[in-house]
Structures are given as C-alpha cells and as structure tokens.
Amino acid sequence: MMVQLDEVTRFSHMPEGQYFDRKSARIKPEDAVRHVIAFANASGGQLVIGIEDDGTITGFRRENAKPIESFEQLPITLCAPAPVVQARRAPCVNDAGEDDVVLVLDIAPSSNHVVEKRLGGDVYLREADNSVRLDREQVRALEYDKGQLWFEDELARGGAGIDDVDREFLARYKRVIGAEHMDDERLLVARDFLRDGRLTDAGVILFAADPMRFLPSAWVRVLRVDGTELRTGRNLNITKDVEFSGPLVSVVEKAGALIEALLRDFQVLDDNVRFKTVPEYPRFAWFEGLVNAVAHRDYSL
C-alpha cells in the first residue's frame, strides 16, 4: 500500500498526541520500541520513523540513520507478546532534496494482553503525547483492565483463610444452593473461593466477616443530606451517616434496608379514585444504584 507524498508532508506538520508520534531514523530501535508498546497498550496509534521532532523530513539516507529493517522487525524482536503492527514505506523527498522514504507503523491496540519490552519487561502506556513507563501496580491495573488477570481470582493479601469466614452467612449460602451437608472448606475449594488454604479476593468479598482487614475498600457508606448539596464545616448538613462492612450480600441488604427506611412514602389518588401508597423513589432505581456501587468499584485500590 503506497502513501501519497502529500501525506508524508502532513505527517511532518501533524501535532504529536495520543494517537501519533514521529521520530528520527537516528533513534535506536531499542528506544523507539517504547512508543510502539505504549500505543499498543492504549488505543493504538501511528509512529512515523524518518521525521525529526521539529517536522524536518530526513528519511533514512541521513548519516547515522539506523537500518529501516530494524524498525520493521522491532514488534517481533523487541516486544512480548508481539503487537499487531502494519509497516509501510512511504516515498518522500528528504530535506537534502534526495529521494528517500519514511517508515509508517500503524499499531493496533492490544485488547487482551499487556505488551512489554522483551528485555527487562518494561511496560509503557500512551498518555497524551508521552509514552509513560508504568510501575508494578499500574501494570497490574492494566492487566485487570485488559482481562489478562482477574482480581477476584487472586489469593487475598494478608493471608485470609477459612478462620476469617463468616460461618453464619456461609451456612445461609449453603442452604440457598442446597449444600447444607457439605463441609465448609470443601465447598469453598469447589467454588474456587479457597485455594491452598487461603481465600481468594472473591472469597473475602463474599464471605469474610471483616473483609476490610484485607481489602480496605470493601465497605459501603450511606449518607443522608438535608437539602440538595453536601455542605461542610459549621454548615455540615449530614443527618444520617452509617457504614456497612461484611459479606457483600449482607452489606447490600443492610444498606438497602436503611435507604428504604430513610425514604418517604406519599398517599396519592389512583385512576379509581382510591388512595395508594407511593414511595418517594422507585425501589428499582435506588437499589440499582446501590448494586452498581458495589459491583463496579475497583476493590484492588
């Protein structure tokens, strides 16, 4: 696929950003690979080799330019796993008036794997016009985001085990699924909530009597405010402030019961001219908000 000459000129004038970057052919492939990795770990992008940062088209005939093949092969030789990259040579006239080429790398986003540098394992992510190196916690968050790792399947930190389980709630769970006569530990192992004597993060969230010991964000706070906005200091207008922690289902039930008690009921006439009780807000609306609050949070934080 040929790129028209006017497109190379456009590359030289385009602002660098989230989806585009350009580099001199004098850059080492080992340094250029960070941008390929960053684009692949984000939303994809385009890296053009052979144009200086100031937009000067220098191509590959300039002194000290690296072999164009080394850039074409870097997704395979320097990345793990190899991202999907389409390489194309675009003919141009360089700043010395010579017929030349620039290399256009079209980098697809990696949807289910974090791409890293093959040597050293460094991971980069594109942020605006920068390719940022991620630390270990940021890499883990990216792995969760791409579905490469599932936080819920990992063993909980802090050594949570069978002794941390709320046995009363677990008995209730066993009754619901018809496993009353099954040993507690055997049941948790069978459902992959317990592994090698330790609870997984899912096991902590669902069954631990005090999940906050292992996951500090595993709680729900219900606030009632007098008015339509929260004020602070001398004007603090909180009229109810209750925190809930424990097995997730119990937290939802207790928080839901409190919310329902805090809402008002109204008497209205229906179409048959009879009074009926109508809640201030439909249950399905506020209950969905509560469930979303516990289901879509990041417990790894």
Side-chain angles (χ1 to χ4, degrees), residues 46-63:
Q46 201 168 51
L47 178 63
V48 178
I49 308 293
I51 302 179
E52 307 298 312
D53 288 337
D54 64 3
T56 303
I57 302 173
T58 51
F60 280 83
R61 299 191 64 177
R62 189 164 183 168
E63 186 179 0

Side-chain angles (χ1 to χ4, degrees), residues 6-7 22 54 57 63 73 84 98 127 153 156 160 178 190 217 223 288:
D6 59 353
E7 187 172 7
R22 56 174 170 260
D54 64 3
I57 302 173
E63 186 179 0
Q73 296 166 3
V84 177
E98 304 168 314
E127 294 182 2
D153 291 339
S217 63
L223 296 176
E288 182 179 1

Side-chain angles (χ1 to χ4, degrees), residues 134-148:
L134 303 185
D135 61 29
R136 190 174 66 86
E137 291 300 319
Q138 291 170 320
V139 172
R140 183 175 292 272
L142 187 61
E143 289 172 332
Y144 293 149
D145 184 61
K146 291 183 178 293
Q148 185 174 342

Side-chain angles (χ1 to χ4, degrees), residues 35-272:
H35 305 292
V36 173
I37 292 172
F39 281 128
N41 284 331
S43 302
Q46 201 168 51
L47 178 63
V48 178
I49 308 293
I51 302 179
E52 307 298 312
D53 288 337
D54 64 3
T56 303
I57 302 173
T58 51
F60 280 83
R61 299 191 64 177
R62 189 164 183 168
E63 186 179 0
N64 296 326
K66 303 299 185 292
I68 193 170
E69 293 81 7
S70 63
F71 295 104
E72 292 173 327
Q73 296 166 3
L74 68 80
I76 296 175
T77 59
L78 300 178
C79 299
V84 177
V85 178
Q86 292 185 345
R88 44 198 171 104
R89 301 183 184 189
C92 66
V93 176
N94 64 28
D95 63 331
E98 304 168 314
D99 289 335
D100 208 333
V101 296
V102 299
L103 180 66
V104 182
L105 299 177
D106 291 303
I107 304 149
S110 177
S111 60
N112 55 9
H113 279 90
V114 171
V115 179
E116 63 182 35
K117 206 170 182 178
R118 186 172 292 277
L119 296 178
D122 290 339
V123 175
Y124 301 91
L125 185 68
R126 192 70 178 179
E127 294 182 2
D129 59 349
N130 294 312
S131 296
V132 180
R133 182 176 179 273
L134 303 185
D135 61 29
R136 190 174 66 86
E137 291 300 319
Q138 291 170 320
V139 172
R140 183 175 292 272
L142 187 61
E143 289 172 332
Y144 293 149
D145 184 61
K146 291 183 178 293
Q148 185 174 342
L149 288 181
W150 294 97
F151 170 76
E152 294 85 353
D153 291 339
E154 295 190 357
L155 294 177
R157 301 178 186 180
I162 189 69
D163 292 338
D164 297 295
V165 169
D166 184 326
R167 300 284 185 160
E168 183 178 340
F169 181 80
L170 182 58
R172 175 185 167 192
Y173 173 73
K174 290 165 66 174
R175 288 194 298 272
V176 169
I177 66 172
E180 297 97 323
H181 304 297
M182 195 171 183
D183 176 75
D184 288 353
E185 186 168 348
R186 181 183 169 194
L187 173 66
L188 293 173
V189 169
R191 294 296 175 102
D192 203 29
F193 295 128
L194 187 72
R195 197 182 314 135
D196 299 325
R198 292 174 57 190
L199 289 173
T200 62
D201 287 319
V204 167
I205 293 170
L206 292 173
F207 297 109
D210 185 13
M212 292 180 64
R213 285 182 53 202
F214 313 101
L215 300 172
S217 63
W219 60 287
V220 169
R221 183 183 182 189
V222 177
L223 296 176
R224 181 178 184 179
V225 175
D226 184 17
T228 58
E229 61 181 22
L230 178 62
R231 296 190 292 271
T232 59
R234 293 181 180 274
N235 297 317
L236 186 67
N237 58 338
I238 294 176
T239 62
K240 182 69 73 172
D241 185 352
V242 183
E243 296 179 1
F244 300 93
S245 184
L248 183 62
V249 174
S250 294
V251 168
V252 171
E253 291 174 340
K254 293 174 182 177
L258 175 60
I259 294 171
E260 192 164 34
L262 293 175
L263 296 177
R264 298 174 296 177
D265 290 330
F266 296 92
Q267 298 295 319
V268 298
L269 283 172
D270 61 18
D271 295 338
N272 297 319

